[in-house]
Amino acid sequence: MSLAGISEDEAARRLDFRAAVSAGTGESAAAFKTDISELLRRTIQIVSEGEECDIELAIGCKPLTDASLKLMMTVTEKEMRVHTATSLNSIEVATVPDLTRKISSCFAAGYVLARTIGGDRFANSPDPFIFIFENVGLPMENLSKYITIDDAVLVGAGGVANGFIWAAQHLPLKGRLFVVDPKRVSSGNLNRCFFFSPEDVDHNYKAEILASRAKFRELEVKAYVGNFIDFRKTRPDQRVRRVITTVDSRRARRSIQNELPVEVLDASTTDISEIIIHSHRQPNLNACLSCIYAHIPQENQRERHLAEALGISLDDVQKGFIDKTIAHKLAAIHPNLIEDALLGTSFDTLFKSLCGVGELITAAGKQSLAPFAFISNLAGALLALELIRFDIDQRNMNENYLALDPWRPPHKLLRRKHGRLQDCEFCSNQESEKVLRQVWPELNWK
């Protein structure tokens, strides 16, 4: 409703639309159909072949239904197009690398939703929607050999982390990856996370489920139930070289930077309007996590909003994670919550979870909603792309920052250099580099 500028009733009606995804012959079209259907069914209803529908996406074939809105999708080695169907449209669906398909599927799902939702926000949606692969660095070359990522740590096991694993499973990775998260699966995770099922809700830990269901040939995936600070303390030298961050809040990212990792790869979503990808390695003359996610006034506003929506104090929310006292308070306010399951959960995570199952109402009496599945998974897939770029494409590592609108085709000039902030909590602290040198004496600090 807020996104499209339409009434609540109209928003509910449009999200109740029935969509069909059809595909032509060939493995590539079928693979696209599978990915796009999984992304869409988290938001709108996907019907079986032959059933009535309101919108159809035909992948590499002419539309097969009488839907009022018919879209067609074509794929070449260089681009993906989605557009209103006409009798003159091409039906080509070329075979592209798996990572290219995953990212393309996210953009295609978003375009279908934009055309479904309509309203002011999408009145000028491009037709055709053209995703040029090279604009985000696709397809990556030199993927014939395995890439070793020994002892990398994926911090967070929610929507973006699920998207990362969903895409990274198709990459030639070997070594060991730890998934670190203290929380159990909640019902609010199910609208974004492919690896979780209703049977996991309130029983299984997200890190353990994501690690156990990830399927890699040469990469060992292990789980740690807890937060990143505690995980670092379990390491033999109490150091972590590479961190892949998918956590919920700006504050959490700043705390990870203070744990002194050498390499950082990060992906985040700003509600439903923006995706940010960032990476750096030490010695680093450009932006760190604390530069990218510096404390801003809106952060205080969000924390006040979380406190109001959850029925607790601002001081409680500013603690970052739910302790025993706050868990008891929340369980009393929200009888559907399990007190023990709340321990260690971040307030952002709880908020998204409750929004995702329609259990939070804003101060104005409006329903709060969680992110769309395609946005979280697109952020995760772009993070998987950043991992490959980080390890094999050293020529452009100075361009350490990417911000894009998930509803629009990405422009070729989106990637850029993000320099240090003069007042960064980490970079401007004269002790930071001194401590880094002490913790990582083997690095080239010249």
Side-chain angles (χ1 to χ4, degrees), residues 16 19 28 31 58 60 85 103 137 142 170 175 183 201 256 312 330 335 359 375 414 423 431 446:
D16 198 36
S28 181
I103 293 174
N142 305 318
H170 300 282
K183 302 174 287 292
V201 172
I256 289 172
I312 55 179
L330 285 167
E359 293 179 358
I375 295 178
L414 283 175
D423 57 350
E431 293 297 314
K446 295 182 181 179

Side-chain angles (χ1 to χ4, degrees), residues 74-80 92-97 100 104 131-134 138-139 141:
T74 59
V75 182
T76 69
E77 293 180 353
K78 296 183 178 181
E79 67 180 32
M80 176 208 72
E92 179 182 5
V93 179
T95 299
V96 295
T100 302
S104 298
F131 169 38
I132 300 172
F133 301 149
E134 67 178 5
L138 289 169
E141 305 295 339

Side-chain angles (χ1 to χ4, degrees), residues 337-351:
L337 299 179
I338 299 174
E339 186 171 334
D340 290 343
L342 294 172
L343 294 176
T345 301
S346 76
F347 292 99
D348 283 273
T349 296
L350 176 61
F351 183 79

Side-chain angles (χ1 to χ4, degrees), residues 164-323:
F164 171 77
I165 295 295
W166 174 66
Q169 287 181 138
H170 300 282
L171 301 177
L173 304 177
K174 67 178 181 179
R176 182 166 53 175
L177 175 70
F178 289 92
V179 181
V180 175
D181 192 297
K183 302 174 287 292
R184 288 184 173 91
V185 176
S186 70
S187 54
N189 294 134
L190 302 182
N191 74 328
R192 304 185 303 282
C193 302
F194 289 156
F195 291 91
F196 302 156
S197 68
E199 291 74 24
D200 299 319
V201 172
D202 296 332
H203 299 294
N204 297 323
Y205 286 100
K206 294 198 288 186
E208 293 179 340
I209 294 300
L210 190 54
S212 66
R213 293 176 184 167
K215 303 300 180 185
F216 292 90
R217 291 184 180 180
E218 299 291 337
L219 182 68
E220 178 186 12
V221 184
K222 303 187 69 174
Y224 178 84
V225 177
N227 62 47
F228 177 67
I229 295 174
D230 291 337
F231 171 79
R232 180 188 59 76
K233 294 176 181 177
T234 68
R235 309 298 293 151
D237 53 8
Q238 296 202 10
R239 306 188 306 177
V240 173
R241 184 174 189 88
R242 175 175 292 184
V243 174
I244 304 170
T245 60
T246 66
V247 291
D248 282 328
S249 71
R250 301 172 72 90
R251 187 188 298 274
R253 284 178 165 83
R254 294 195 297 270
S255 71
I256 289 172
Q257 183 65 66
N258 289 333
E259 295 302 307
L260 308 179
V262 170
E263 299 172 341
V264 172
L265 297 96
D266 170 72
S268 66
T269 59
T270 306
D271 51 63
I272 57 174
S273 62
E274 185 180 48
I275 291 172
I276 292 174
I277 306 294
H278 160 73
S279 61
H280 73 262
R281 60 165 48 93
Q282 299 290 353
N284 174 42
L285 298 178
N286 294 322
C288 71
L289 277 176
S290 291
C291 294
I292 302 295
Y293 301 100
H295 188 277
I296 57 176
Q298 291 91 330
E299 199 170 330
N300 293 335
Q301 294 172 9
R302 175 166 176 76
E303 289 174 340
R304 282 194 290 270
H305 176 59
L306 292 180
E308 181 180 288
L310 295 172
I312 55 179
S313 71
L314 178 60
D315 288 340
D316 287 338
V317 170
Q318 289 180 337
K319 292 180 180 179
F321 292 90
I322 298 171
D323 60 21

Side-chain angles (χ1 to χ4, degrees), residues 61-88:
C61 65
K62 297 295 183 181
L64 304 178
T65 72
D66 293 325
S68 57
L69 177 58
K70 304 181 185 70
L71 301 176
M72 288 184 63
M73 175 176 157
T74 59
V75 182
T76 69
E77 293 180 353
K78 296 183 178 181
E79 67 180 32
M80 176 208 72
R81 290 181 179 236
V82 186
H83 44 76
T84 304
T86 72
S87 60
L88 302 176

